[in-house]
């Protein structure tokens, strides 16, 4: 297998593997500690150094499992880039959910570090934008997290470009740590934010991107071309919005177009979809998801197909 390429994480000195691994829906729901460890080991052994997590994933259990896995595998904390994200909260009470207020953020990082039994995360994200908390309060709180040594960098996820721009300007003007990265959805179906909305920010602040759902929750593997298989993400009761996306006629048509390119080129739909995301130079790392080891193995094989996928880029762009 070819070696994993690395890219700079936005305007920072941190190098991240072009493909990384995340735990949404899977850790603590579809996967127990045994399969978590298998996947973490396989990913790490194949060059993945960036691992995506969030406070809200399995209500904190995902954070626990990921670090339990790394510890039991004997991996050193500094061998990995560990992340978490804050916004929804895991306590159903006022000021601790759906917010980025300082009170919530300062206790949320402490909770995450306690669950993960570590002193710091490498990247702390604001998981969504909160229009009710003033931008200066958010930036000061994220800066404080870094000054306290609890996070090394900070970023945003699914923020509007205008809010990222405001946060960046405020940080620069006040000598505070700047956001370096945004985490948007990016795949052959959802392209606008990355390709249009964030465009001015690549130039202005060298914004990095850690992109999510490269396979549109599995649709772009082709597994949903003939209905919804038992045990798949779209078959889960709690994932009804994913089911809607997958059954959407436009999206189905795009999956069919990808299937046609796959048949013609002999490269799997999965590899074409993953490789296409990585071809965008503004993407720092493509966060992979997998509910079992076989999927992760298959997905990481994309690294050795990048040259062939580059030649198909124009055709894939047409989808
Ligand atoms: P994908 O779009 O790649 O979907 C992954 C899912 O697709 C798997 O869990 C599995 O689901 C199915 N799948 C993956 N590979 C294969 C394969 N080779 N063959 C068949 N089925 C396959 O990514 P995710 O949506 O999981 O997103 C990746 C990561 O991004 C998350 O883990 C999380 O860390 C992050 N994320 C961040 C968000 C944010 O708001 N910041 C939002 C969402 C994700 P199954 O087997 O159950 O069908």
């Amino acid at each position: 297998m070819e070696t994993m390429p690395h890219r700079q994480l936005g305007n920072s000195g941190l190098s991240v593997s072009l493909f990384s691994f995340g735990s949404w829906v899977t850790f603590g729901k579809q996967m127990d500690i045994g399969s978590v460890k298998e996947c973490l080991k396989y990913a790490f052994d194949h060059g993945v150094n960036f691992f995506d997590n969030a406070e809200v994933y399995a209500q904190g259990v995902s954070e626990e499992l990921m670090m339990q896995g790394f510890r039991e595998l004997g991996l050193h904390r500094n061998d990995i880039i560990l992340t978490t994200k804050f916004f929804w909260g895991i306590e159903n009470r006022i000021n601790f959910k759906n917010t980025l207020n300082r009170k919530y953020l300062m206790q949320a990082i402490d909770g995450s570090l306690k669950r993960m039994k570590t002193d710091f995360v490498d990247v702390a994200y604001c998981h969504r934008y909160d229009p009710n908390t003033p931008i200066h309060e958010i930036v000061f709180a994220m800066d404080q997290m870094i000054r306290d040594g609890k996070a090394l960098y900070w970023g945003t996820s699914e923020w509007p470009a205008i809010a990222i721009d405001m946060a960046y300007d405020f940080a620069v003007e006040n000598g505070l740590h700047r956001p370096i990265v945004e985490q948007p959805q990016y795949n052959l179906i959802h392209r606008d934010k990355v390709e249009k909305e964030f465009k001015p920010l690549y130039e202005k602040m060298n914004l990095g991107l850690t992109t999510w759902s490269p396979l549109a929750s599995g649709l772009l593997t082709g597994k949903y071309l003939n209905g919804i298989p038992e045990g798949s993400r779209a078959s889960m009761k709690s994932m009804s919005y994913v089911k809607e996306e997958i059954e959407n006629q436009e999206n189905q048509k795009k999956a069919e177009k990808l299937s046609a390119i796959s048949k013609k080129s002999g490269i799997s739909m999965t590899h074409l979809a993953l490789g296409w995301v990585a071809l965008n130079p503004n993407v720092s790392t493509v966060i992979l998801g997998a509910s079992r080891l076989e999927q992760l193995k298959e997905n990481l094989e994309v690294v050795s197909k990048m040259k062939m996928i580059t030649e198909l880029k124009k055709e894939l762009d047409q989808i």
Side-chain angles (χ1 to χ4, degrees):
M1 199 183 255
E2 281 188 37
T3 50
M4 174 70 74
H6 289 83
R7 286 186 187 166
Q8 232 33 40
L9 187 59
N11 198 16
S12 83
L14 202 61
S15 291
V16 292
S17 49
L18 181 53
F19 293 92
S20 49
F21 186 48
S23 59
W24 179 54
V25 192
T26 53
F27 284 27
K29 288 186 179 164
Q30 294 167 295
M31 294 162 84
D32 59 12
I33 184 65
S35 42
V36 163
K37 270 164 73 178
E38 277 182 343
C39 285
L40 292 178
K41 180 169 171 34
Y42 189 87
F44 183 79
D45 288 347
H46 290 78
V48 170
N49 74 351
F50 183 99
F51 294 88
D52 190 69
N53 219 320
E55 178 197 48
V56 76
Y57 294 168
Q59 295 288 298
V61 174
S62 165
E63 291 179 327
E64 285 171 1
L65 285 179
M66 185 178 277
M67 281 308 283
Q68 183 188 346
F70 282 128
R71 271 193 304 278
E72 290 180 10
L73 289 168
L75 286 178
H76 192 272
R77 170 67 187 83
N78 265 330
D79 289 336
I80 53 164
I81 295 170
L82 182 68
T83 76
T84 197
K85 313 187 204 81
F86 307 115
F87 172 75
W88 283 285
I90 51 176
E91 293 183 55
N92 190 16
R93 61 189 173 114
I94 193 78
N95 280 326
F96 291 87
K97 56 176 183 175
N98 306 334
T99 182
L100 293 174
N101 75 51
R102 183 179 179 85
K103 187 171 173 66
Y104 159 70
L105 285 174
M106 296 329 287
Q107 64 80 48
I109 181 71
D110 287 343
S112 288
L113 296 179
K114 203 166 162 194
R115 278 187 295 278
M116 294 195 276
K117 299 195 176 101
T118 185
D119 298 331
F120 68 99
V121 292
D122 295 273
V123 190
Y125 291 86
C126 297
H127 210 156
R128 288 294 181 269
Y129 180 55
D130 169 15
N132 297 317
T133 300
I135 207 79
H136 64 262
E137 180 173 336
I138 301 171
V139 180
F140 267 120
M142 298 311 288
D143 176 75
Q144 188 66 48
M145 235 181 243
I146 295 177
R147 285 178 203 260
D148 290 346
K150 295 174 183 174
L152 303 185
Y153 301 93
W154 78 278
T156 58
S157 179
E158 292 292 337
W159 274 33
I162 190 166
I164 301 173
D165 200 18
M166 274 161 50
Y168 177 80
D169 284 348
F170 183 80
V172 171
E173 281 160 20
N174 293 282
L176 305 174
H177 288 95
R178 309 154 187 193
I180 58 160
V181 61
E182 155 67 23
Q183 187 170 128
Q185 177 168 197
Y186 186 48
N187 52 47
L188 279 163
I189 289 168
H190 295 271
R191 298 175 56 172
D192 280 3
K193 257 182 122 69
V194 165
E195 295 178 15
K196 295 185 183 144
E197 189 184 330
F198 294 147
K199 217 170 167 191
L201 299 179
Y202 305 134
E203 185 100 334
K204 174 172 173 174
M205 59 180 277
N206 191 10
L207 180 71
L209 298 178
T210 57
T211 59
W212 58 270
S213 283
L215 296 171
S217 278
L219 174 65
L220 300 172
T221 64
K223 72 194 289 177
Y224 295 110
L225 284 172
N226 300 304
I228 295 180
E230 191 77 13
S232 61
R233 183 179 289 180
S235 75
M236 296 167 76
K237 267 205 183 109
S238 55
M239 294 282 123
S240 54
Y241 61 98
V242 166
K243 184 170 179 256
E244 272 171 34
E245 276 257 301
I246 275 159
E247 286 179 333
N248 175 295
Q249 285 308 304
E250 287 290 307
N251 296 347
Q252 280 285 338
K253 268 188 210 142
K254 288 177 187 172
E256 282 160 18
K257 283 184 189 165
L258 181 64
S259 166
I261 301 177
S262 166
K263 282 189 185 128
K264 213 167 59 176
S265 64
I267 303 173
S268 73
M269 288 174 69
T270 301
H271 290 153
L272 289 172
L274 296 175
W276 176 85
V277 176
L279 286 178
N280 184 327
N282 295 310
V283 171
S284 322
T285 185
V286 183
I287 311 175
L288 304 175
S291 65
R292 48 187 171 274
L293 183 61
E294 297 71 45
Q295 293 177 352
L296 182 65
K297 282 186 179 173
E298 180 188 342
N299 298 356
L300 280 172
E301 279 167 17
V302 67
V303 174
S304 58
K305 311 256 163 90
M306 288 306 294
K307 266 193 201 124
M308 287 183 288
I309 298 169
T310 308
E311 284 162 24
L312 296 165
K313 182 173 182 318
K314 274 202 184 120
E315 219 176 318
L316 292 166
D317 279 339
Q318 296 305 314
I319 291 177

